[in-house]
Amino acid sequence: MKPRSPTDVLRRKIEGLEGEVEELRRGLSAERAASRALEAGQVDAVLDPAGGGALLVRAAQAALQASEERYRTIVTTSDEGIFTADASGRATFANKRMARMLGYTVEEIVGHTSDYFLQASASEAAARDFEHRRQGGTDRRDLPLRCKDGSTVWASVTSSPLLDPEGRFAGSLGMVTDITDRRRLEAVRRKTEERFSLVFNASPIPLGISTLAGDILEVNDRFAEFFGYTHEELIGQNKQELGLWADLADRELLADVMRRDGRARDLEVTFRRKSGETREVLLSVDAIELQDSPDPVRIFLFTDVTDRKRAEQTLRESRALLEQAQA
């Protein structure tokens, strides 16, 4: 066999490389065509080289599109504000509810950091929360947000970290609920409770609050003085177990009236003091609801009429004696 010349060897190598390049070119062209077909939704399935089976690409694409549509609908119609921010804290997205809450357009929100929408008093807390999310934490905080017109909206903000494919911090997702009205109502309730507490404690009339079962929740000073107990001896105790009812028939009378009318006015009952002395009173009771109590409670007040009734009895007896003497 005639030995091949170096030229022949080189030519064969070139021909082989040209064949490989052409094969690669055909493969690349096929991949590009498949990619375009996938993007256009023209392919129902492709062969999975590893598993040897068909991958239902068109069905998967349809499911993905439906999922994205559902997500888009939820985000755009949500009653909560929703925003995303990048790793530097700049807003990259906001839904319309978020924009309306602050009085901006969506375009005016995107690109700004949270400080732009926060009252100055909340900046430090927000910065701590951001660092917490950078470390992978989720946080929830009530924050005062600054609206475009300068007014304040109080919001409950729940934020969680967003991660890139490598698991690195890439930003934040925030859910924002307007709680301005709720805070306003809470402030009114606190002021009402403060005023009630002042009136309750300063009242010259004995006042007490108990559960429906008779467990004492609160009393004012005049109540404690009347019965001769300290506050500590009364709070948490049951009126019946303490023996405050001198006659259990009076307790049953009150129960009947409350069931029938929902309140009681000027019932004549007899109470027993710590010393054992009994006193006659005019008792009034109302059922009220307290925010911290799952069940209605009863507020009761009474007027000691013992001395008056004794004076009236003495007067009646004196008149009777006078009439007998004149007869």
Side-chain angles (χ1 to χ4, degrees):
M1 177 182 296
K2 183 179 179 181
R4 287 180 294 180
S5 66
T7 302
D8 293 334
V9 173
L10 180 59
R11 185 174 60 252
R12 288 183 179 276
K13 286 184 177 180
I14 292 174
E15 290 174 352
L17 289 172
E18 289 176 346
E20 291 179 8
V21 170
E22 181 60 27
E23 185 177 350
L24 289 172
R25 186 178 291 112
R26 287 195 299 270
L28 180 59
S29 177
E31 289 180 3
R32 287 175 175 172
S35 178
R36 287 193 296 270
L38 287 172
E39 293 174 358
Q42 298 172 346
V43 177
D44 290 322
V46 295
L47 184 65
D48 177 10
L55 300 176
L56 301 181
V57 176
R58 180 172 292 176
Q61 286 180 326
L64 178 60
Q65 289 172 355
S67 177
E68 290 176 345
E69 185 61 31
R70 286 194 298 271
Y71 170 78
R72 190 178 300 109
T73 300
I74 291 171
V75 169
T76 56
T77 62
S78 174
D79 288 334
E80 290 187 299
I82 301 174
F83 72 90
T84 59
D86 61 20
S88 66
R90 294 187 179 277
T92 56
F93 167 81
N95 68 348
K96 291 182 179 179
R97 174 66 181 124
M98 184 80 242
R100 287 196 304 271
M101 193 184 302
L102 299 176
Y104 289 94
T105 65
V106 170
E107 292 73 19
E108 288 173 323
I109 291 178
V110 172
H112 289 289
T113 63
S114 60
D115 283 342
Y116 188 81
F117 307 103
L118 282 173
Q119 296 292 3
S121 60
S123 295
E124 185 175 341
R128 289 197 302 270
D129 289 344
F130 184 78
E131 288 304 315
H132 183 236
R133 289 195 298 280
R134 189 185 292 276
Q135 301 302 318
T138 297
D139 47 81
R140 194 210 67 78
R141 188 183 296 274
D142 293 350
L143 295 171
L145 305 183
R146 184 173 58 245
C147 298
K148 187 176 183 179
D149 62 6
S151 62
T152 298
V153 168
W154 274 93
S156 175
V157 182
T158 302
S159 301
S160 54
L162 297 175
L163 306 178
D164 65 15
E166 284 72 38
R168 296 171 299 196
F169 178 72
S172 304
L173 167 67
M175 305 290 290
V176 184
T177 303
D178 186 344
I179 60 171
T180 305
D181 290 341
R182 188 182 78 192
R183 285 181 64 92
R184 186 180 297 115
L185 290 174
E186 288 176 350
V188 171
R189 178 183 60 80
R190 284 195 299 270
K191 290 180 180 179
T192 301
E193 288 179 349
E194 289 170 3
R195 288 194 294 268
F196 173 80
S197 179
L198 288 173
V199 172
F200 183 87
N201 291 312
S203 173
I205 299 173
L207 293 169
I209 299 175
S210 73
T211 66
L212 299 183
D215 297 325
I216 299 173
L217 302 175
E218 187 60 81
V219 298
N220 68 352
D221 291 342
R222 187 68 187 91
F223 184 101
E225 291 170 2
F226 173 85
F227 282 102
Y229 290 96
T230 65
H231 282 260
E232 291 74 19
E233 289 174 322
L234 289 168
I235 304 302
Q237 300 301 314
N238 186 277
K239 295 196 296 289
Q240 183 177 347
E241 293 175 358
L242 278 175
L244 302 188
W245 293 101
D247 188 345
L248 292 183
D250 290 341
R251 179 174 177 270
E252 295 303 320
L253 172 64
L254 174 62
D256 291 340
V257 172
M258 293 298 293
R259 280 193 293 267
R260 184 186 70 233
D261 302 331
R263 65 178 188 172
R265 289 292 180 270
D266 295 331
L267 292 183
E268 292 190 17
V269 300
T270 305
F271 282 151
R272 181 183 293 109
R273 306 177 70 180
K274 184 178 181 180
S275 64
E277 177 190 5
T278 59
R279 306 288 290 185
E280 295 179 69
V281 304
L282 293 179
L283 175 66
S284 295
V285 181
D286 274 292
I288 62 174
E289 293 185 1
L290 298 179
Q291 183 175 7
D292 298 331
S293 176
D295 300 311
V297 299
R298 289 178 175 175
I299 181 168
F300 46 95
L301 59 91
F302 55 87
T303 303
D304 187 349
V305 295
T306 306
D307 294 338
R308 189 189 75 191
K309 290 179 72 67
R310 287 176 180 173
E312 290 173 349
Q313 179 63 28
T314 300
L315 180 59
R316 284 193 297 270
E317 291 174 354
S318 297
R319 285 175 177 172
L321 289 174
L322 181 60
E323 290 173 355
Q324 291 175 4
Q326 292 175 342

